[in-house]
Amino acid sequence: MTTPTTTRILPVITASAAATGALVGGTVAAVRSTIAVKEGKMSKSDAAKTVATESAGTGLATAAGVAATGILGLGGLAGLLGFTVVATGAKMLWDKAVPNALEKKRPTPIEEMS
């Protein structure tokens, strides 16, 4: 249920939410990637790619959740649940489509020998 006011401000709110989601996702990825680089599990180049990928994915997922709840006019608990379902689904699809270096399986010493 959209109203003229919702139609005008929803794109602005969605863009703002996307930026916030990207910032949070990028920050978390930066921390995880920095630790992985220090432990020698990831190169600096892979770390930068991971931060960019996670930032974009989290931003898009957040925007999708906000847009869906806004378009449907959901608020309160229904809005929170709707946002969570849509954002989680969008992030899962993103992660399947765009893998990042943090999720790469490193071969074990036994696998390397064979």
Side-chain angles (χ1 to χ4, degrees):
M1 175 175 71
T2 59
T3 65
T5 303
T6 304
T7 305
R8 284 194 319 253
I9 65 171
L10 186 59
V12 175
I13 293 170
T14 302
S16 177
T20 303
L23 181 64
V24 171
T27 301
V28 171
V31 170
R32 290 178 66 202
S33 295
T34 300
I35 292 168
V37 168
K38 285 185 177 186
E39 292 176 348
K41 296 178 180 177
M42 177 186 289
S43 70
K44 289 180 181 180
S45 174
D46 282 344
K49 291 175 189 173
T50 296
V51 171
T53 300
E54 284 298 302
S55 182
T58 307
L60 290 171
T62 305
V66 168
T69 55
I71 289 169
L72 296 173
L74 298 175
L77 184 58
L80 182 61
L81 291 174
F83 169 82
T84 302
V85 168
V86 172
T88 301
K91 185 65 168 83
M92 288 173 67
L93 288 172
W94 175 268
D95 287 346
K96 283 187 183 281
V98 185
N100 68 55
L102 278 174
E103 306 303 324
K104 285 183 185 173
K105 181 180 178 278
R106 301 284 181 200
T108 61
I110 294 173
E111 290 174 342
E112 288 177 346
M113 294 175 73
S114 46

